[in-house]
Amino acid sequence: MSTTAELLKGAAELFPGEVVTQAHVRHFDLPLGAGRFALITLDNGHDHTKPTTLGPQSLANIDAAIDQVEKEAADGEIVGVGVTGKPFIFAVGADLKGVELLKRHEDALAIGKGGHDVFKRLSKLAVPTFAYYNGASMGGGVEVGLHCTYRTVSAALPAFSLPEVFLGLVPGWGGCTLLPNLIGAEKAVSVIIENSLNQNRQLKGKQVYELGIADALFEGADFLEQSLIWTASVLKGEITVERPAIDRGEAWDQAVAKGRFIADSKVHGAAPAAYRALDIIAEAKDGDLQKGYDAEDQALADLIMGGELRSGIYAFNLVQKRGKRPAGAPDKNLARPVTKVGVVGAGLMASQLALLFLRRLEVPVVLTDIDQERIDKGVGYVHAEIDKLLGKGRINQDKANRLKALVTGVLDKAEGFADADFIIEAVFEEMGVKQQVFAEVEAVAPAHAILATNTSSLSVSEMASKLRHPERVVGFHFFNPVAVLPLLEIVRGEKTDDASLATAFGVAKKLKKTAVLVKDAPAFVVNRILTRFMGEIQNVIDEGTPVEVAEKAVEPLGLPMSPLVLLELVGPAIGLHVSETLNRAFPERFTVSPNLKAVVEAGKRGFYVYDSGKPELDPEVAALLKQGDTVLTEEQVRDRVLDAVAQEIGLMLDEGVVAEAQDIDLCLITGAGWPFHLGGITPYLDREGVSERVNGKRFLEPGVASVPA
């Protein structure tokens, strides 16, 4: 058997680029005369913008620190050991950059075992151990603390989670085993499965305490000082930590069953991580910790060598890195300041945009529309949303008053836009209407003002073609709901200049949106791919495949909602309009479904009714459908849909709609909620062999979103 030190040394050699975390040990006398204490501080030597991670060399450093305190504890030199982090950060888990480099199952197994072997020692010392969660704690960072006897948490802690399932892993250094044994299976399933699959939802310090993960909660200002006073009281027997008994009966089984239901509803069996985590939680019921740790090691190694984790890491890197440094964006120093924003239109989309600009830029925002009633409604919507933020305690009264004062509405564009720097239109999706609006705006706006369009499918170049200064027109396409979906497609028209484009990217950054530069091509990225995807579903239904078969066929993709539910969200009329736009551009590939047209003409909001609580085909829609007699199986439907999508993406990359396949994935993840665990769409098409079948080659190099050869 290899020793822990040998395991970690071998792993460290595979990962030369690790940002190494030190484990500094210092000694002092506790307050209240409680005795000599050893405190281990985890610190990678960088400030809080580079959080502390746990790669193999970092684990070896923690192991060495435990060697020291273990001897001191055995010799009676100390009464306890604490673990804490650098300012604002406790530790955010395993270093994923190292995980990406692993090529062999045994190396992956060594990472799991190495972490377990080090952390388990904390629970076996001759003295009590304490974790002080002082700042951001995730994954392996959380698990370090779970191996300690006691835990305290800072009320100022902004983010605490076990995000592994979100990325395609399991909490593999004790999380799946220890957490249910500490707080019960139901709460553990909520943290490990539910929060992870809800876009990696984070807990705050107070919630960590309320869940029973931490034994005490202290304010951030003097957190460590208060934690040490509490520690002294515990060691002296003045404070006894009471923890509720864990229900190991039916409640445990019900919690696991609920977890499986949540996983099914989110990933439809298409991603293994959640199910592996639930298997381990189920096994942890009898409290046999070592059995749980062995199962974690095995699951961790299997998942590290699978495509889902590699896709999850790829997606994570796209959003965290590529999303923050958009490919092809001009020099940010060319961007002009934006001190006032104009919004043409006061409908729901325009009002949502006004609210976003107001909250993020905190500059005057003025709405215009064709009559005062619409304008008042738009401004009223923004005011009502500000009141909601106030009611939830997200902003104070002073800020609410200030924001409300900044938003106004006027009928006269000349009055509203004479001093605006950035003017965005969100009017009816019709070229003539948009050209007229821009002509009116150009006549009254200052020469430097950017004219942005929120069009979802129309040509930005054509929209700008009749203006004196087409160089300042830029596509600025948001996704609905504006407050939720991070993507912003920034479209460069034929004449758009660098300063206008740079200003658009500068504004996007202030809006906290993920901006992707897109060529002015029909429907840009997300709507073009989704329309091809939906069009193929629509085609097989029109040809004769039952609606439920067509819908079920794409379940293995683990999409957030089925195609026809998505159509309902978008609105059938908008779906039809985009398919007509694309049909004009590419008639050989994009069809206009006669059945969809019939649904829109009948004024139906969608294909389903929800009388029983779940979607069922609306009888009135069923009566409208005219179908052929070609019935396909689920597999045949799936092949047709995926082949169509692979073909379209190949053509888009050939046309230069975006710089690389990575941008397609970034758009679908942030603009259409495409599953993180798939890495977007191109890794999935590569993994399933569709890319090569359709285009003769993969979209991504082997080793990108897949296990290196």
Side-chain angles (χ1 to χ4, degrees), residues 147-208:
H147 284 271
C148 293
T149 326
Y150 303 100
R151 287 155 294 281
T152 67
V153 67
S154 165
L157 181 147
F160 182 105
S161 63
L162 289 169
E164 287 85 351
V165 165
F166 177 64
L167 292 169
L169 277 177
V170 297
W173 285 341
C176 287
T177 304
L178 291 171
L179 193 63
N181 278 294
L182 175 69
I183 62 172
E186 188 181 0
K187 290 177 182 172
V189 164
S190 170
V191 174
I192 294 169
I193 306 296
E194 193 167 14
N195 288 358
S196 263
L197 292 179
N198 275 315
Q199 295 300 315
N200 191 18
R201 188 192 292 149
Q202 301 292 320
L203 298 168
K204 301 265 192 288
K206 186 164 178 273
Q207 293 167 296
V208 174

Short mmCIF file of all heavy atoms in Angstrom, two decimals, residues 147-208:
data_model
loop_
_atom_site.label_atom_id
_atom_site.label_comp_id
_atom_site.label_asym_id
_atom_site.label_seq_id
_atom_site.Cartn_x
_atom_site.Cartn_y
_atom_site.Cartn_z
N HIS A 147 -14.65 17.29 9.07
CA HIS A 147 -13.85 16.30 9.79
C HIS A 147 -13.46 16.78 11.20
O HIS A 147 -12.90 16.01 11.98
CB HIS A 147 -12.58 15.97 9.00
CG HIS A 147 -12.82 15.08 7.82
ND1 HIS A 147 -12.78 13.71 7.89
CD2 HIS A 147 -13.13 15.38 6.53
CE1 HIS A 147 -13.04 13.20 6.69
NE2 HIS A 147 -13.25 14.18 5.85
N CYS A 148 -13.71 18.06 11.50
CA CYS A 148 -13.37 18.59 12.83
C CYS A 148 -14.47 18.26 13.84
O CYS A 148 -15.60 17.92 13.47
CB CYS A 148 -13.15 20.10 12.75
SG CYS A 148 -11.68 20.54 11.78
N THR A 149 -14.13 18.42 15.13
CA THR A 149 -15.10 18.12 16.19
C THR A 149 -16.18 19.19 16.26
O THR A 149 -17.35 18.90 16.51
CB THR A 149 -14.39 18.04 17.56
OG1 THR A 149 -13.07 17.50 17.40
CG2 THR A 149 -15.17 17.20 18.55
N TYR A 150 -15.77 20.46 16.08
CA TYR A 150 -16.69 21.60 16.19
C TYR A 150 -16.42 22.58 15.04
O TYR A 150 -15.33 22.62 14.47
CB TYR A 150 -16.47 22.36 17.51
CG TYR A 150 -16.62 21.51 18.75
CD1 TYR A 150 -15.48 21.02 19.42
CD2 TYR A 150 -17.87 21.20 19.27
CE1 TYR A 150 -15.61 20.24 20.56
CE2 TYR A 150 -18.00 20.41 20.41
CZ TYR A 150 -16.87 19.93 21.05
OH TYR A 150 -16.99 19.16 22.18
N ARG A 151 -17.46 23.40 14.75
CA ARG A 151 -17.34 24.40 13.68
C ARG A 151 -18.00 25.70 14.09
O ARG A 151 -19.09 25.68 14.68
CB ARG A 151 -18.01 23.89 12.39
CG ARG A 151 -17.29 22.79 11.65
CD ARG A 151 -18.21 21.94 10.78
NE ARG A 151 -19.14 21.18 11.61
CZ ARG A 151 -18.82 20.07 12.27
NH1 ARG A 151 -17.61 19.55 12.16
NH2 ARG A 151 -19.71 19.46 13.04
N THR A 152 -17.37 26.83 13.74
CA THR A 152 -18.04 28.13 13.87
C THR A 152 -18.08 28.76 12.48
O THR A 152 -17.27 28.41 11.61
CB THR A 152 -17.32 29.09 14.85
OG1 THR A 152 -16.05 29.45 14.29
CG2 THR A 152 -17.13 28.46 16.22
N VAL A 153 -19.02 29.70 12.28
CA VAL A 153 -19.13 30.33 10.96
C VAL A 153 -19.34 31.83 11.13
O VAL A 153 -19.98 32.28 12.08
CB VAL A 153 -20.29 29.68 10.14
CG1 VAL A 153 -21.66 29.96 10.77
CG2 VAL A 153 -20.26 30.14 8.68
N SER A 154 -18.78 32.59 10.17
CA SER A 154 -18.93 34.04 10.20
C SER A 154 -20.26 34.46 9.57
O SER A 154 -20.63 33.96 8.51
CB SER A 154 -17.78 34.69 9.41
OG SER A 154 -18.07 36.04 9.14
N ALA A 155 -20.94 35.40 10.24
CA ALA A 155 -22.21 35.92 9.69
C ALA A 155 -21.96 36.66 8.37
O ALA A 155 -22.87 36.84 7.56
CB ALA A 155 -22.86 36.85 10.70
N ALA A 156 -20.71 37.07 8.14
CA ALA A 156 -20.37 37.80 6.90
C ALA A 156 -20.01 36.87 5.75
O ALA A 156 -19.76 37.33 4.64
CB ALA A 156 -19.20 38.75 7.18
N LEU A 157 -19.98 35.56 6.01
CA LEU A 157 -19.58 34.60 4.97
C LEU A 157 -20.58 34.67 3.80
O LEU A 157 -21.77 34.47 4.00
CB LEU A 157 -19.55 33.19 5.57
CG LEU A 157 -19.12 32.04 4.65
CD1 LEU A 157 -18.38 30.99 5.45
CD2 LEU A 157 -20.30 31.39 3.97
N PRO A 158 -20.09 34.96 2.57
CA PRO A 158 -21.02 35.19 1.46
C PRO A 158 -21.38 33.92 0.68
O PRO A 158 -22.40 33.87 0.02
CB PRO A 158 -20.22 36.13 0.54
CG PRO A 158 -18.78 35.75 0.79
CD PRO A 158 -18.68 35.24 2.20
N ALA A 159 -20.50 32.89 0.74
CA ALA A 159 -20.71 31.75 -0.14
C ALA A 159 -20.16 30.48 0.50
O ALA A 159 -18.98 30.39 0.83
CB ALA A 159 -20.00 32.00 -1.48
N PHE A 160 -21.07 29.51 0.68
CA PHE A 160 -20.72 28.23 1.29
C PHE A 160 -21.49 27.17 0.52
O PHE A 160 -22.70 27.26 0.38
CB PHE A 160 -21.17 28.26 2.76
CG PHE A 160 -20.85 27.03 3.58
CD1 PHE A 160 -19.81 27.04 4.50
CD2 PHE A 160 -21.61 25.87 3.47
CE1 PHE A 160 -19.52 25.93 5.29
CE2 PHE A 160 -21.33 24.75 4.24
CZ PHE A 160 -20.28 24.78 5.16
N SER A 161 -20.79 26.17 -0.02
CA SER A 161 -21.52 25.17 -0.82
C SER A 161 -20.68 23.92 -1.03
O SER A 161 -19.46 23.93 -0.89
CB SER A 161 -21.88 25.75 -2.19
OG SER A 161 -20.70 26.05 -2.93
N LEU A 162 -21.39 22.87 -1.41
CA LEU A 162 -20.76 21.66 -1.95
C LEU A 162 -21.20 21.61 -3.41
O LEU A 162 -22.25 21.04 -3.74
CB LEU A 162 -21.21 20.42 -1.17
CG LEU A 162 -20.65 20.31 0.26
CD1 LEU A 162 -21.36 19.21 1.05
CD2 LEU A 162 -19.14 20.06 0.25
N PRO A 163 -20.44 22.26 -4.32
CA PRO A 163 -20.92 22.44 -5.70
C PRO A 163 -20.57 21.30 -6.65
O PRO A 163 -20.78 21.40 -7.84
CB PRO A 163 -20.16 23.72 -6.13
CG PRO A 163 -18.86 23.62 -5.38
CD PRO A 163 -19.15 22.91 -4.08
N GLU A 164 -20.03 20.20 -6.09
CA GLU A 164 -19.45 19.17 -6.96
C GLU A 164 -20.44 18.61 -7.99
O GLU A 164 -20.09 18.41 -9.16
CB GLU A 164 -18.89 18.02 -6.11
CG GLU A 164 -17.61 18.36 -5.38
CD GLU A 164 -17.84 19.06 -4.04
OE1 GLU A 164 -19.00 19.44 -3.74
OE2 GLU A 164 -16.87 19.23 -3.30
N VAL A 165 -21.70 18.33 -7.55
CA VAL A 165 -22.67 17.72 -8.47
C VAL A 165 -22.94 18.65 -9.66
O VAL A 165 -23.11 18.21 -10.80
CB VAL A 165 -23.98 17.38 -7.71
CG1 VAL A 165 -25.12 17.09 -8.68
CG2 VAL A 165 -23.75 16.18 -6.80
N PHE A 166 -22.92 19.95 -9.41
CA PHE A 166 -23.09 20.96 -10.46
C PHE A 166 -22.02 20.79 -11.54
O PHE A 166 -22.28 20.98 -12.72
CB PHE A 166 -22.99 22.34 -9.79
CG PHE A 166 -23.06 23.51 -10.74
CD1 PHE A 166 -24.20 23.76 -11.47
CD2 PHE A 166 -22.00 24.39 -10.86
CE1 PHE A 166 -24.28 24.86 -12.31
CE2 PHE A 166 -22.07 25.49 -11.70
CZ PHE A 166 -23.21 25.72 -12.43
N LEU A 167 -20.81 20.43 -11.12
CA LEU A 167 -19.70 20.30 -12.07
C LEU A 167 -19.56 18.90 -12.65
O LEU A 167 -18.79 18.68 -13.58
CB LEU A 167 -18.39 20.67 -11.37
CG LEU A 167 -18.24 22.13 -10.98
CD1 LEU A 167 -17.04 22.32 -10.07
CD2 LEU A 167 -18.09 23.01 -12.22
N GLY A 168 -20.29 17.92 -12.05
CA GLY A 168 -20.16 16.56 -12.56
C GLY A 168 -19.35 15.64 -11.66
O GLY A 168 -18.86 14.61 -12.10
N LEU A 169 -19.19 16.04 -10.39
CA LEU A 169 -18.46 15.23 -9.40
C LEU A 169 -19.38 14.91 -8.23
O LEU A 169 -20.54 15.28 -8.22
CB LEU A 169 -17.26 16.02 -8.87
CG LEU A 169 -15.98 16.01 -9.70
CD1 LEU A 169 -14.93 16.89 -9.05
CD2 LEU A 169 -15.43 14.59 -9.86
N VAL A 170 -18.82 14.26 -7.20
CA VAL A 170 -19.52 14.14 -5.91
C VAL A 170 -18.63 14.79 -4.86
O VAL A 170 -17.41 14.84 -5.04
CB VAL A 170 -19.78 12.66 -5.53
CG1 VAL A 170 -20.67 11.99 -6.54
CG2 VAL A 170 -18.47 11.89 -5.36
N PRO A 171 -19.21 15.29 -3.75
CA PRO A 171 -18.36 15.73 -2.64
C PRO A 171 -17.58 14.50 -2.16
O PRO A 171 -18.15 13.61 -1.52
CB PRO A 171 -19.36 16.23 -1.59
CG PRO A 171 -20.60 16.55 -2.37
CD PRO A 171 -20.63 15.52 -3.47
N GLY A 172 -16.30 14.42 -2.52
CA GLY A 172 -15.56 13.17 -2.41
C GLY A 172 -14.53 13.09 -1.32
O GLY A 172 -13.76 12.13 -1.26
N TRP A 173 -14.46 14.11 -0.45
CA TRP A 173 -13.51 14.07 0.66
C TRP A 173 -14.27 14.06 1.99
O TRP A 173 -13.90 14.71 2.94
CB TRP A 173 -12.55 15.26 0.61
CG TRP A 173 -11.49 15.12 -0.45
CD1 TRP A 173 -11.09 13.98 -1.07
CD2 TRP A 173 -10.70 16.18 -1.03
NE1 TRP A 173 -10.10 14.25 -1.98
CE2 TRP A 173 -9.84 15.59 -1.98
CE3 TRP A 173 -10.64 17.56 -0.84
CZ2 TRP A 173 -8.92 16.34 -2.74
CZ3 TRP A 173 -9.73 18.30 -1.58
CH2 TRP A 173 -8.89 17.70 -2.52
N GLY A 174 -15.41 13.34 1.99
CA GLY A 174 -16.18 13.20 3.22
C GLY A 174 -17.54 13.84 3.19
O GLY A 174 -18.38 13.57 4.04
N GLY A 175 -17.81 14.68 2.19
CA GLY A 175 -19.07 15.44 2.16
C GLY A 175 -20.32 14.58 2.12
O GLY A 175 -21.27 14.78 2.88
N CYS A 176 -20.33 13.56 1.22
CA CYS A 176 -21.52 12.72 1.06
C CYS A 176 -21.77 11.86 2.29
O CYS A 176 -22.90 11.46 2.56
CB CYS A 176 -21.36 11.79 -0.15
SG CYS A 176 -21.49 12.65 -1.72
N THR A 177 -20.70 11.55 3.02
CA THR A 177 -20.80 10.65 4.17
C THR A 177 -21.03 11.42 5.47
O THR A 177 -21.90 11.08 6.27
CB THR A 177 -19.51 9.81 4.27
OG1 THR A 177 -19.33 9.12 3.03
CG2 THR A 177 -19.59 8.81 5.41
N LEU A 178 -20.23 12.46 5.68
CA LEU A 178 -20.27 13.17 6.97
C LEU A 178 -21.46 14.11 7.11
O LEU A 178 -22.04 14.24 8.18
CB LEU A 178 -18.97 13.97 7.17
CG LEU A 178 -17.71 13.14 7.38
CD1 LEU A 178 -16.47 14.02 7.34
CD2 LEU A 178 -17.77 12.39 8.71
N LEU A 179 -21.82 14.80 6.01
CA LEU A 179 -22.88 15.82 6.14
C LEU A 179 -24.22 15.20 6.57
O LEU A 179 -24.84 15.69 7.52
CB LEU A 179 -23.03 16.64 4.86
CG LEU A 179 -23.88 17.90 5.01
CD1 LEU A 179 -23.28 18.88 6.01
CD2 LEU A 179 -24.10 18.59 3.67
N PRO A 180 -24.71 14.10 5.93
CA PRO A 180 -25.97 13.52 6.39
C PRO A 180 -25.88 12.99 7.83
O PRO A 180 -26.86 13.00 8.57
CB PRO A 180 -26.27 12.40 5.39
CG PRO A 180 -24.99 12.15 4.68
CD PRO A 180 -24.21 13.42 4.71
N ASN A 181 -24.70 12.52 8.22
CA ASN A 181 -24.51 12.04 9.59
C ASN A 181 -24.45 13.18 10.61
O ASN A 181 -24.61 12.96 11.80
CB ASN A 181 -23.26 11.17 9.68
CG ASN A 181 -23.54 9.73 9.24
OD1 ASN A 181 -24.29 9.02 9.89
ND2 ASN A 181 -22.97 9.32 8.12
N LEU A 182 -24.22 14.40 10.12
CA LEU A 182 -24.18 15.57 11.00
C LEU A 182 -25.54 16.25 11.10
O LEU A 182 -26.02 16.58 12.18
CB LEU A 182 -23.13 16.58 10.49
CG LEU A 182 -23.04 17.91 11.24
CD1 LEU A 182 -22.48 17.71 12.65
CD2 LEU A 182 -22.15 18.90 10.46
N ILE A 183 -26.20 16.46 9.94
CA ILE A 183 -27.44 17.28 9.94
C ILE A 183 -28.67 16.50 9.47
O ILE A 183 -29.75 17.06 9.35
CB ILE A 183 -27.27 18.56 9.08
CG1 ILE A 183 -26.98 18.23 7.60
CG2 ILE A 183 -26.18 19.47 9.66
CD1 ILE A 183 -26.99 19.43 6.66
N GLY A 184 -28.49 15.20 9.16
CA GLY A 184 -29.62 14.42 8.67
C GLY A 184 -29.66 14.39 7.16
O GLY A 184 -29.15 15.29 6.49
N ALA A 185 -30.28 13.36 6.62
CA ALA A 185 -30.26 13.14 5.16
C ALA A 185 -31.02 14.23 4.40
O ALA A 185 -30.59 14.66 3.33
CB ALA A 185 -30.83 11.77 4.84
N GLU A 186 -32.15 14.68 4.96
CA GLU A 186 -32.97 15.63 4.20
C GLU A 186 -32.22 16.94 3.93
O GLU A 186 -32.16 17.42 2.80
CB GLU A 186 -34.29 15.92 4.93
CG GLU A 186 -35.22 16.75 4.06
CD GLU A 186 -36.55 17.09 4.73
OE1 GLU A 186 -36.76 16.69 5.88
OE2 GLU A 186 -37.35 17.76 4.09
N LYS A 187 -31.63 17.49 4.99
CA LYS A 187 -30.88 18.74 4.82
C LYS A 187 -29.64 18.53 3.95
O LYS A 187 -29.26 19.39 3.16
CB LYS A 187 -30.47 19.30 6.19
CG LYS A 187 -31.64 19.83 7.02
CD LYS A 187 -31.13 20.28 8.38
CE LYS A 187 -32.26 20.77 9.28
NZ LYS A 187 -31.75 21.03 10.65
N ALA A 188 -29.01 17.36 4.11
CA ALA A 188 -27.81 17.07 3.32
C ALA A 188 -28.14 16.98 1.83
O ALA A 188 -27.40 17.49 0.98
CB ALA A 188 -27.16 15.78 3.80
N VAL A 189 -29.27 16.35 1.52
CA VAL A 189 -29.70 16.26 0.11
C VAL A 189 -29.97 17.65 -0.45
O VAL A 189 -29.63 17.96 -1.60
CB VAL A 189 -30.96 15.34 -0.01
CG1 VAL A 189 -31.66 15.54 -1.35
CG2 VAL A 189 -30.57 13.88 0.18
N SER A 190 -30.54 18.51 0.36
CA SER A 190 -30.80 19.89 -0.07
C SER A 190 -29.49 20.60 -0.44
O SER A 190 -29.39 21.26 -1.47
CB SER A 190 -31.53 20.63 1.06
OG SER A 190 -31.58 21.99 0.77
N VAL A 191 -28.46 20.43 0.40
CA VAL A 191 -27.17 21.12 0.16
C VAL A 191 -26.42 20.48 -1.01
O VAL A 191 -25.92 21.18 -1.89
CB VAL A 191 -26.29 21.08 1.44
CG1 VAL A 191 -24.90 21.65 1.16
CG2 VAL A 191 -26.96 21.84 2.58
N ILE A 192 -26.35 19.14 -1.03
CA ILE A 192 -25.50 18.44 -2.00
C ILE A 192 -26.15 18.32 -3.37
O ILE A 192 -25.49 18.46 -4.40
CB ILE A 192 -25.13 17.03 -1.46
CG1 ILE A 192 -24.25 17.16 -0.20
CG2 ILE A 192 -24.41 16.19 -2.51
CD1 ILE A 192 -24.05 15.85 0.56
N ILE A 193 -27.46 18.08 -3.40
CA ILE A 193 -28.16 17.84 -4.68
C ILE A 193 -28.93 19.07 -5.14
O ILE A 193 -28.68 19.63 -6.21
CB ILE A 193 -29.13 16.63 -4.57
CG1 ILE A 193 -28.40 15.39 -4.04
CG2 ILE A 193 -29.80 16.36 -5.91
CD1 ILE A 193 -27.31 14.84 -4.93
N GLU A 194 -29.87 19.51 -4.31
CA GLU A 194 -30.80 20.56 -4.75
C GLU A 194 -30.09 21.88 -5.04
O GLU A 194 -30.27 22.47 -6.11
CB GLU A 194 -31.88 20.76 -3.67
CG GLU A 194 -33.05 21.58 -4.14
CD GLU A 194 -34.24 21.50 -3.20
OE1 GLU A 194 -34.08 21.02 -2.05
OE2 GLU A 194 -35.32 21.92 -3.61
N ASN A 195 -29.27 22.35 -4.09
CA ASN A 195 -28.57 23.62 -4.31
C ASN A 195 -27.63 23.55 -5.51
O ASN A 195 -27.54 24.48 -6.31
CB ASN A 195 -27.79 24.04 -3.06
CG ASN A 195 -28.70 24.50 -1.94
OD1 ASN A 195 -29.91 24.55 -2.11
ND2 ASN A 195 -28.13 24.83 -0.80
N SER A 196 -26.92 22.42 -5.62
CA SER A 196 -26.00 22.25 -6.75
C SER A 196 -26.71 22.32 -8.09
O SER A 196 -26.25 23.00 -9.00
CB SER A 196 -25.31 20.88 -6.66
OG SER A 196 -24.07 21.00 -6.06
N LEU A 197 -27.84 21.61 -8.18
CA LEU A 197 -28.55 21.56 -9.47
C LEU A 197 -29.38 22.81 -9.73
O LEU A 197 -29.90 22.98 -10.82
CB LEU A 197 -29.43 20.30 -9.53
CG LEU A 197 -28.66 18.97 -9.58
CD1 LEU A 197 -29.63 17.80 -9.61
CD2 LEU A 197 -27.73 18.90 -10.78
N ASN A 198 -29.50 23.70 -8.73
CA ASN A 198 -30.13 25.00 -8.96
C ASN A 198 -29.04 26.04 -9.22
O ASN A 198 -28.83 26.96 -8.44
CB ASN A 198 -30.99 25.41 -7.75
CG ASN A 198 -32.37 24.80 -7.84
OD1 ASN A 198 -32.99 24.82 -8.89
ND2 ASN A 198 -32.84 24.22 -6.76
N GLN A 199 -28.31 25.82 -10.32
CA GLN A 199 -27.25 26.75 -10.73
C GLN A 199 -26.27 27.04 -9.60
O GLN A 199 -25.85 28.18 -9.41
CB GLN A 199 -27.86 28.07 -11.28
CG GLN A 199 -28.66 27.91 -12.55
CD GLN A 199 -27.81 27.35 -13.69
OE1 GLN A 199 -26.70 27.76 -13.92
NE2 GLN A 199 -28.35 26.38 -14.41
N ASN A 200 -25.92 26.00 -8.84
CA ASN A 200 -24.90 26.14 -7.79
C ASN A 200 -25.25 27.22 -6.78
O ASN A 200 -24.48 28.14 -6.52
CB ASN A 200 -23.53 26.43 -8.45
CG ASN A 200 -22.39 26.32 -7.47
OD1 ASN A 200 -22.53 25.72 -6.41
ND2 ASN A 200 -21.27 26.91 -7.81
N ARG A 201 -26.45 27.08 -6.19
CA ARG A 201 -26.92 28.06 -5.19
C ARG A 201 -26.01 28.02 -3.95
O ARG A 201 -25.64 26.97 -3.47
CB ARG A 201 -28.35 27.72 -4.81
CG ARG A 201 -29.00 28.78 -3.92
CD ARG A 201 -30.30 28.27 -3.31
NE ARG A 201 -31.34 28.08 -4.32
CZ ARG A 201 -32.27 27.14 -4.21
NH1 ARG A 201 -32.30 26.31 -3.18
NH2 ARG A 201 -33.20 27.02 -5.13
N GLN A 202 -25.68 29.22 -3.44
CA GLN A 202 -24.77 29.33 -2.28
C GLN A 202 -25.55 29.59 -0.99
O GLN A 202 -26.61 30.20 -1.02
CB GLN A 202 -23.79 30.49 -2.51
CG GLN A 202 -22.93 30.35 -3.75
CD GLN A 202 -21.93 29.22 -3.65
OE1 GLN A 202 -21.34 28.99 -2.62
NE2 GLN A 202 -21.76 28.48 -4.75
N LEU A 203 -24.97 29.14 0.12
CA LEU A 203 -25.51 29.45 1.44
C LEU A 203 -24.74 30.62 2.05
O LEU A 203 -23.55 30.77 1.79
CB LEU A 203 -25.36 28.24 2.37
CG LEU A 203 -26.09 26.95 1.97
CD1 LEU A 203 -25.60 25.78 2.82
CD2 LEU A 203 -27.59 27.11 2.11
N LYS A 204 -25.43 31.41 2.86
CA LYS A 204 -24.78 32.48 3.64
C LYS A 204 -24.47 31.92 5.03
O LYS A 204 -25.02 30.90 5.45
CB LYS A 204 -25.71 33.68 3.76
CG LYS A 204 -26.13 34.28 2.42
CD LYS A 204 -25.22 35.44 2.04
CE LYS A 204 -25.76 36.26 0.89
NZ LYS A 204 -25.70 35.62 -0.41
N GLY A 205 -23.62 32.65 5.78
CA GLY A 205 -23.18 32.19 7.09
C GLY A 205 -24.32 31.81 8.02
O GLY A 205 -24.30 30.75 8.68
N LYS A 206 -25.37 32.66 8.05
CA LYS A 206 -26.49 32.42 8.97
C LYS A 206 -27.19 31.09 8.62
O LYS A 206 -27.59 30.32 9.50
CB LYS A 206 -27.46 33.60 8.87
CG LYS A 206 -28.61 33.56 9.87
CD LYS A 206 -29.27 34.94 9.97
CE LYS A 206 -30.46 34.94 10.93
NZ LYS A 206 -31.71 34.56 10.28
N GLN A 207 -27.32 30.81 7.30
CA GLN A 207 -27.98 29.57 6.87
C GLN A 207 -27.15 28.34 7.27
O GLN A 207 -27.70 27.30 7.63
CB GLN A 207 -28.19 29.58 5.35
CG GLN A 207 -29.18 30.63 4.87
CD GLN A 207 -29.11 30.80 3.37
OE1 GLN A 207 -28.10 31.23 2.80
NE2 GLN A 207 -30.19 30.45 2.69
N VAL A 208 -25.83 28.49 7.19
CA VAL A 208 -24.93 27.38 7.55
C VAL A 208 -25.15 27.02 9.03
O VAL A 208 -25.21 25.85 9.40
CB VAL A 208 -23.45 27.79 7.31
CG1 VAL A 208 -22.48 26.72 7.83
CG2 VAL A 208 -23.21 28.03 5.81
#
